[in-house]
Amino acid sequence: MNDKKLKRPKEGRKISGVCLAVANYFNIDVTIVRIAWVLLTLFYGLFLILYIACAFIIPEDDGTIDAKYKEKN
């Protein structure tokens, strides 16, 4: 089972960490996500609203290790 969590990291973010969280979750380069998000925002204004909503909805990474992860290692 996939134990990935979508969380906004504190290190390496530019504005609120939404693009970095998405890049980490899908294991892709954050630059690709940032460029795609900017282009989609330019063509469809809805993505700006989506970004703001994600900044409030996606929890911030607190730096702790989950209990499930500790048990496995």
Side-chain angles (χ1 to χ4, degrees), residues 23-35:
N24 288 342
Y25 186 79
F26 290 110
N27 199 22
I28 56 176
D29 187 25
V30 67
T31 305
I32 295 170
V33 175
R34 287 177 178 150
I35 290 171

Side-chain angles (χ1 to χ4, degrees), residues 3-67:
D3 290 333
K4 289 184 180 181
K5 300 233 185 231
L6 185 63
K7 291 190 175 187
R8 295 180 298 124
K10 292 181 180 181
E11 303 274 331
R13 61 172 140 176
K14 296 296 180 190
I15 298 176
S16 67
V18 173
C19 291
L20 186 56
V22 171
N24 288 342
Y25 186 79
F26 290 110
N27 199 22
I28 56 176
D29 187 25
V30 67
T31 305
I32 295 170
V33 175
R34 287 177 178 150
I35 290 171
W37 206 290
V38 168
L39 290 175
L40 289 169
T41 299
L42 290 175
F43 291 114
Y44 307 101
L46 178 65
F47 279 87
L48 179 63
I49 296 168
L50 182 64
Y51 186 91
I52 294 168
C54 287
F56 287 106
I57 294 170
I58 299 173
E60 191 170 311
D61 187 14
D62 56 2
T64 60
I65 299 173
D66 292 335

